[in-house]
Amino acid sequence: MLRRISVPLTIAAAAALLTPLTAARAVEAPKSARTPVIFVHGYNADPGVWGSLRDDFKASGYTDAELFSWGYDTSKSVNEVLSGRFAAYVDEVRARSGAEEVDIVAHSFGSLVTRWYVKHGGGTGKVAHWASLAGPNHGTATAWACAAWSQACRDMTPGSYVQDGLAEGDETPGDVAYATWWSNCDEIINPDDSVRLGGATNNAAGCLKHNDLLGDDGVSAGVRDFVRG
């Protein structure tokens, strides 16, 4: 009789012990307090360009676990390769952070990669804010100088397949909040107003060189206010 009683008692005891462990596992990865931010660099650059802006975000209360920098090969095609790779990275960030959506801050060529993802790669339901610093959003004539040997430059030329695909229909689709920062002294983006998008909040950054937008205090404050909005 004692043996028959001991079996259910042992099972019950084990179940009681396992219950708090299961509950503990369920809260091991809490959601981030803020929407994670993904920084995407431009042509012939790397994630190191974001050092100043990342520091500003951290000074504003963000943690390293909420800030991500995507590095990629800028010689590849926006629509055929890079937007798909970026989509996978967004899903990785969402899984790691527990967040449903991400915010994107892109510079220059990175604006085309991330816009293609948002518009044609299913990103409208996964992106809360999209910010473009000096993005060739309607192409730049400067890219003709390297178009003969660079796929990225061909994608940036006015009238390219990528430019036409981004311009068709709504330039700023979905419930995503869009913003751009442009400069009338940008030596890379020609014409200057290529950066601005219909349906976006378009911000004049003043007389800044193309890469100076990355470290400008006014641009930094504007971007941080935008993604927190």
Side-chain angles (χ1 to χ4, degrees):
M1 189 67 176
L2 287 175
R3 289 179 182 173
R4 292 179 182 174
I5 296 173
S6 65
V7 174
L9 285 175
T10 302
I11 294 173
L17 289 171
L18 286 173
T19 299
L21 291 176
T22 303
R25 289 193 188 99
V27 297
E28 278 178 358
K31 287 188 176 181
S32 173
R34 300 174 184 82
T35 302
V37 179
I38 302 177
F39 299 99
V40 182
H41 63 76
Y43 178 59
N44 271 353
D46 59 57
V49 302
W50 296 110
S52 177
L53 193 54
R54 281 182 66 101
D55 287 345
D56 289 347
F57 267 82
K58 290 174 70 174
S60 299
Y62 282 77
T63 68
D64 285 327
E66 296 164 335
L67 302 174
F68 300 83
S69 297
W70 186 56
Y72 63 102
D73 182 354
T74 60
S75 70
K76 304 299 183 182
S77 170
V78 165
N79 59 306
E80 294 178 344
V81 178
L82 295 178
S83 63
R85 292 179 181 176
F86 182 65
Y89 186 76
V90 168
D91 286 343
E92 178 184 335
V93 169
R94 292 170 62 238
R96 288 169 60 182
S97 65
E100 291 296 322
E101 297 179 314
V102 301
D103 291 333
I104 296 171
V105 180
H107 179 242
S108 193
F109 179 64
S111 301
L112 304 187
V113 176
T114 54
R115 272 186 70 208
W116 192 279
Y117 159 68
V118 173
K119 183 164 186 170
H120 297 296
T124 52
K126 300 177 182 179
V127 176
H129 297 84
W130 178 88
S132 170
L133 312 185
N137 293 315
H138 295 104
T140 174
T142 309
W144 286 114
C146 51
W149 66 84
S150 169
Q151 179 62 51
C153 289
R154 288 192 288 275
D155 289 346
M156 288 188 281
T157 56
S160 69
Y161 179 86
V162 167
Q163 292 295 337
D164 288 347
L166 290 172
E168 67 185 19
D170 189 354
E171 288 192 322
T172 51
D175 293 329
V176 181
Y178 296 84
T180 72
W181 278 260
W182 63 278
S183 166
N184 58 356
C185 296
D186 192 325
E187 77 282 15
I188 301 299
I189 304 302
N190 181 23
D192 297 332
D193 63 5
S194 172
V195 180
R196 294 180 285 182
L197 292 170
T201 301
N202 298 296
N203 303 277
C207 185
L208 295 172
K209 296 295 185 182
H210 187 67
N211 289 333
D212 289 347
L213 275 80
L214 291 164
D216 181 74
D217 289 341
V219 173
S220 172
V223 170
R224 283 176 284 137
D225 286 344
F226 170 65
V227 301
R228 287 194 297 252

